[in-house]
């Protein structure tokens, strides 16, 4: 298609020149997707599990005039969204959990329970820590300078730049993976985008050119350009890109050579045996150490290695238990960023669990660093409602409900 001068006015009455009708159409679609500027609204939209293709239908769920969730529509969202856990978590936070900054000063166990199944549990802790900072240092009001936003626990350059530019019109870059990909192709930069040095260089480049009158629009434009046009894991849509004529990688025909990323190390495989010690009423769980993987979460007792049934019985006996029944309940796999757990589960039915095993269950799992005093015995309903169990144990939690 030949380049034609097409003009349109955006929401801020700035004139934009399009190189083609295709370019103009892309921009119109982009405006629809970026209609809602408020960060809280954006966060809620994402939490409700609305994906990029259906975000324009957000008014079905959220009333922007009243600031209320249309709870009667959430059932539809649960049925259609691929992010059931996120929808459920957002609903719990909004209606029953921690809807305001002050309320995030809740007990950690309560917060982790609300966050259950979402992963990245340090984000929940950082959220609480940042909320406490806001209450103590800023009188309950979110800070409005880049430096103050950046000082909040868990907020890095990207998040501070995004909030600062979207909400407070601070001319700071918001460099995520999308932006790194766009810039690396524009400049045909051979640097590894996973390194801090390359990220810092990109931030400096963008800060030099970011328009002071529209930093939020600029940052959102780069982010959306990477998400929709200069896409990962496939051919970029160069014909629809407004920066095609400036792109060095495109000129050289090397779009797929960028960005450069050093190959990640293969994940370590850990074999584990999970024990469900239970009687007719209760099941044994324990709290993980406060540092490390899944810190502070609850789990079923488990040990390294895949044990045979006779070895499981032997472990139970060293804990002072004589199982009435031992049943293998299948396998499960869970992938973390650097490790995979390949788990085999066993249910061990005993008489009066709390009396017979309270002092000893922890002996089986000493190599995991858990404090024996943290082994507790809870009813199944309590397990579901009160204790935060990581999704790694979903299959085994499900088993306790129906066995």
């Amino acid at each position: 298609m030949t380049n034609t001068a097409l003009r349109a006015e955006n929401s801020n009455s700035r004139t934009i020149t399009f190189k083609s009708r295709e370019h103009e159409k892309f921009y119109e679609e982009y405006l629809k997707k970026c209609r809602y500027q408020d960060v809280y609204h954006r966060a809620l939209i994402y939490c409700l599990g609305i994906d990029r293709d259906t975000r324009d239908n957000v008014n079905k769920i959220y009333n922007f005039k009243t600031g209320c969730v249309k709870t009667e529509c959430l059932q539809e969202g649960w049925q259609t969204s691929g992010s059931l856990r996120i929808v459920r978590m957002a609903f719990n936070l909004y209606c029953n959990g921690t809807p305001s900054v002050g309320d995030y000063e809740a007990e950690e166990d309560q917060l982790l329970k609300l966050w259950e199944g979402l992963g990245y549990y340090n984000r929940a802790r950082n959220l609480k820590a940042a909320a406490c900072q806001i209450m103590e240092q800023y009188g309950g009001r979110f800070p409005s300078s880049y430096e103050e936003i950046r000082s909040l626990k868990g907020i890095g350059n990207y998040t501070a730049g995004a909030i600062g530019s979207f909400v407070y019109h601070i001319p700071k870059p918001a460099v995520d993976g999308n932006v790194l990909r766009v810039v690396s192709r524009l400049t045909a930069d051979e640097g590894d985008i996973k390194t801090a040095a390359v990220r810092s260089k990109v931030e400096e480049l963008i800060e030099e050119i970011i328009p002071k009158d529209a930093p939020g629009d600029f940052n959102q434009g780069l982010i959306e350009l990477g998400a929709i046009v200069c896409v990962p894991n496939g051919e970029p849509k160069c014909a629809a890109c407004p920066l095609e004529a400036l792109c060095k990688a495109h000129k050289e025909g090397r779009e797929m050579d960028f960005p450069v990323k050093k190959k990640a190390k293969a994940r370590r495989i850990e074999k584990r045996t999970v024990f469900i010690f239970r009687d007719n009423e209760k099941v044994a769980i324990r709290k993980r150490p406060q540092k490390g993987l899944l810190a502070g979460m609850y789990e079923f007792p488990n040990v390294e290695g895949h044990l045979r049934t006779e070895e499981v019985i032997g472990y139970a006996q060293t804990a002072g238990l004589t199982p009435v029944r031992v049943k293998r309940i299948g396998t499960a796999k869970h992938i973390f960023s650097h490790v995979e757990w390949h788990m085999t589960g066993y249910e061990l039915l005993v008489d009066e669990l709390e009396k017979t095993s309270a002092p000893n269950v922890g002996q089986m799992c000493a190599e995991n660093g858990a404090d024996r005093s943290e082994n507790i015995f809870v009813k199944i309903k309590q397990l579901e409602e009160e204790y935060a169990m990581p999704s790694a144990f979903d299959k085994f939690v499900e088993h306790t409900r129906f066995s």
Side-chain angles (χ1 to χ4, degrees):
M1 183 181 291
T2 58
N3 289 357
T4 55
L6 300 171
R7 302 172 74 82
E9 298 291 326
N10 69 4
S11 59
N12 292 320
S13 299
R14 290 191 302 276
T15 301
I16 293 178
T17 300
F18 301 107
K19 67 177 184 177
S20 65
R21 176 58 191 162
E22 188 176 8
H23 180 197
E24 182 181 28
K25 187 177 179 181
F26 162 75
Y27 181 76
E28 288 170 353
E29 291 299 312
Y30 163 72
L31 282 183
K32 290 178 185 177
K33 294 175 187 294
C34 297
R35 187 176 302 147
Y36 310 110
Q37 299 288 326
D38 185 272
V39 163
Y40 172 75
H41 293 174
R42 284 174 169 274
L44 184 59
I45 290 168
Y46 279 104
C47 282
L48 285 171
I50 301 170
D51 61 30
R52 190 178 302 279
D53 294 330
T54 60
R55 207 174 302 157
D56 288 339
N57 295 321
V58 67
N59 282 316
K60 290 181 180 179
I61 294 178
Y62 188 75
N63 188 322
F64 282 87
K65 291 182 179 178
T66 64
C68 295
V69 173
K70 300 177 183 178
T71 54
E72 70 275 9
C73 298
L74 281 175
Q75 183 63 34
E76 178 186 347
W78 287 343
Q79 291 173 347
T80 59
S81 172
S83 306
L84 177 59
R85 288 183 181 278
I86 298 176
V87 175
R88 190 191 284 150
M89 178 264 191
F91 181 76
N92 287 338
L93 284 175
Y94 189 88
C95 297
N96 306 313
T98 56
S100 69
V101 170
D103 289 334
Y104 273 109
E105 294 182 298
E107 290 293 328
E108 183 173 293
D109 280 355
Q110 178 189 354
L111 191 58
L112 290 176
K113 183 61 182 176
L114 287 167
W115 201 271
E116 184 181 53
L118 293 175
Y120 300 101
Y121 293 98
N122 274 338
R123 291 181 181 178
R125 295 185 179 89
N126 289 339
L127 185 65
K128 175 184 174 181
C132 291
Q133 280 182 266
I134 292 169
M135 295 300 292
E136 294 167 5
Q137 298 176 25
Y138 303 106
R141 295 185 65 84
F142 200 92
S144 57
S145 76
Y146 177 84
E147 290 72 20
E148 289 172 333
I149 296 170
R150 181 66 179 79
S151 73
L152 296 177
K153 181 73 173 177
I155 290 186
N157 290 358
Y158 164 68
T159 305
I163 295 172
S165 63
F166 296 169
V167 180
Y168 301 114
H169 310 294
I170 300 169
K172 284 285 186 178
V175 177
D176 69 351
N178 290 313
V179 175
L180 286 169
R181 183 169 55 258
V182 169
V183 174
S184 71
R185 284 174 174 164
L186 280 172
T187 60
D189 192 327
E190 303 280 356
D192 182 356
I193 64 167
K194 290 187 176 182
T195 65
V198 169
R199 180 178 287 270
S200 295
K201 182 170 69 173
V202 171
E203 288 173 344
E204 290 170 6
L205 284 172
I206 292 175
E207 191 161 359
E208 288 177 6
I209 62 172
I210 192 168
K212 290 183 170 52
D213 63 332
D217 290 348
F218 183 86
N219 281 334
Q220 288 180 74
L222 277 180
I223 291 168
E224 291 295 313
L225 192 65
I228 299 172
V229 177
C230 198
V231 294
N233 305 320
E235 293 282 346
K237 302 171 185 176
C238 297
C241 181
L243 302 179
E244 179 186 13
L246 303 176
C247 182
K248 190 174 179 181
H250 180 67
K251 287 179 181 177
E252 298 174 1
R254 301 176 58 212
E255 299 94 334
M256 298 304 292
D257 291 344
F258 303 97
V260 174
K261 286 190 285 187
K262 194 173 182 179
K263 192 173 181 180
K265 292 181 180 178
R267 281 188 292 268
R268 186 177 76 256
I269 304 296
E270 284 188 8
K271 295 179 180 180
R272 307 198 74 80
T273 299
V274 178
F275 304 96
I276 299 180
F277 292 103
R278 61 176 303 168
D279 56 20
N280 289 328
E281 293 185 355
K282 295 182 178 181
V283 63
I285 61 174
R286 66 189 179 104
K287 196 169 189 177
R288 290 182 64 86
Q290 289 300 321
K291 293 184 179 180
L293 185 66
L294 303 175
M297 303 287 288
Y298 289 90
E299 67 177 359
F300 295 114
N302 61 90
V303 295
E304 290 186 11
H306 284 169
L307 305 187
R308 299 187 302 275
T309 301
E310 55 270 27
E311 292 175 308
V312 170
I313 294 171
Y315 262 86
Q317 290 173 344
T318 63
L321 295 170
T322 303
V324 175
R325 185 186 71 198
V326 177
K327 179 183 178 183
R328 190 173 185 272
I329 55 175
T331 62
K333 181 172 78 170
H334 192 79
I335 298 174
F336 300 96
S337 56
H338 296 97
V339 64
E340 285 185 27
W341 280 2
H342 293 189
M343 296 170 283
T344 297
Y346 287 87
E347 180 186 68
L348 295 94
L349 185 66
V350 300
D351 288 326
E352 297 185 280
L353 177 65
E354 193 163 3
K355 289 182 182 179
T356 59
S357 65
N360 301 316
V361 171
Q363 288 179 354
M364 299 170 53
C365 310
E367 73 271 18
N368 286 343
D371 187 336
R372 294 177 192 176
S373 66
E374 292 181 296
N375 291 289
I376 56 176
F377 308 91
V378 300
K379 293 182 178 179
I380 303 303
K381 189 173 182 181
Q382 284 181 290
L383 179 64
E384 295 178 5
E385 296 179 355
E386 299 176 22
Y387 296 94
M389 294 280 284
S391 58
F393 297 97
D394 274 358
K395 178 171 183 175
F396 306 114
V397 172
E398 195 71 16
H399 177 82
T400 65
R401 293 193 186 111
F402 298 106
S403 60

